[in-house]
Amino acid sequence: MGSLQHLLNRPISVPFSPNLKHRRSFFAHSCLNLDVHATDSVKPKTHLKSGEVMEMEGKVLVGTYARNPVVISSGKGCKLYDPEGREYLDCTSGIAVNALGHGDTDWVKAVVEQANLLTHVSNVFYSVPQVELARRLVACSFADRVFFSNSGTEANEAAIKFARKYQRFTNPDEKQQATEFISFSNSFHGRTMGALALTSKENYRFPFEPVMPGVNFLEYGDVQAATELIKSGRIAAVFVEPIQGEGGIYSATKEFLQSLRSACDDAGSLLVFDEVQCGLGRTGYLWAHEAYDVVPDIMTLAKPLAGGLPIGASLVSEKVAAAIKYGDHGSTFAGGPLVCNAAIAVLDKISKPDFLASVSKKGEYFKELIMHKLGGNSHVREVRGFGLIIGIELDVSASPLVDACRDSGLLILTAGKGNVVRLVPPLIISEQELERAAEIMLECLPALDKTN
């Protein structure tokens, strides 16, 4: 859904913990120009050098990505390696995709076994992994049924169609159907034409206008404006991210989400939670909305669900599913046996209470580290988020810091208007690796003064 560069209200902050000063630093303070190389067991198997790959890319691929000058050729755990064997600590997870890191043993086993059994079969037939994954998702969520797709933007496209069909199905005699949508500032829902219309950044939409009409953008967190517009009777569905990832790691308030739920119930509109980035354990809850005690009618998932293989899912209540009939939607590749078996391995591991508790604990510790080490810097405005989706807002562009960290062996992302550092490491990351990441960011902070 984007490149590493592009790729790359109430925030929840953690106060300074005096206990941190007694923790031993994981490694020496000199982090610039680290010369770290892969061990033989994870050395990439390629004859091409990084420069050759980048040169070739410029000749054969459409230029949609402003890529970082790094070629990734292999990975293990929370480490990535380039063709020359240089090691990087990964705090991007492929933009919150590789929740179990790289090369997880159970995930690899699930993929290999299913690849040897059955990789693809058309959706004109039944397949066991698809039904089993859907059963598991229903069992651990609010949903009654699941529709599978291949990405987050496709999951949101399905939600758009389902919302329109639901309104037509439930109000067949209405002369003026509720066909419009509400989305919010700093939102990101995808790049296909429907999901793009729900995405707030004008520079994403402008080159492709006219996009789908009928989308109303409101300020994220504005209870009154949202309630009034929903009451108009024109709104088929409200799309909202409980935690905005691409938009800058902004967390919704409980009051905001509960007010949306109440207003949608009164008006007959659907409430759609986009948890493509913040869902499936990222917050320390299995689903981000669980922290707010609010249940949607539709939830869209994607990024981490299959551990790196392409998948999307739209989880729906029975009342929504009842409106959808044969032929209303479909996909050639969606819900294939290979990707679903991989997703079962991911879901089974992440949904365990001990795993989720570890994410919460590590997320709290990471924020304490960041605030302790970076919070005193004049450029740091705020540290926000919860679990292992964390944003560091700066008063300048974050790109110099991202570049300096990359040169020092740490991969991080930007978000928002380019002034937010986005940290979404694999959920399996260790405290020692978090300490290392915080130390590298500390050592690289002077880059903000040199280039801004």
Side-chain angles (χ1 to χ4, degrees), residues 50-62:
S50 293
E52 295 172 323
V53 175
M54 287 185 272
E55 182 180 3
M56 188 184 304
E57 186 270 357
K59 296 177 179 178
V60 297
L61 287 174
V62 177

Side-chain angles (χ1 to χ4, degrees), residues 327-387:
D328 279 348
H329 204 33
S331 171
T332 297
F333 293 105
L338 180 67
V339 69
C340 284
N341 210 48
I344 289 170
V346 173
L347 182 61
D348 282 355
K349 187 166 286 191
I350 291 179
S351 61
K352 292 179 179 178
D354 288 350
F355 188 97
L356 294 170
S358 75
V359 174
S360 294
K361 180 183 176 183
K362 289 184 288 190
E364 182 178 350
Y365 179 56
F366 198 19
K367 278 180 292 186
E368 288 180 352
L369 277 172
I370 292 168
M371 295 184 72
H372 176 53
K373 291 182 178 293
L374 280 65
N377 186 276
S378 61
H379 293 300
V380 176
R381 286 179 172 176
E382 185 177 33
V383 179
R384 55 180 178 250
F386 62 100

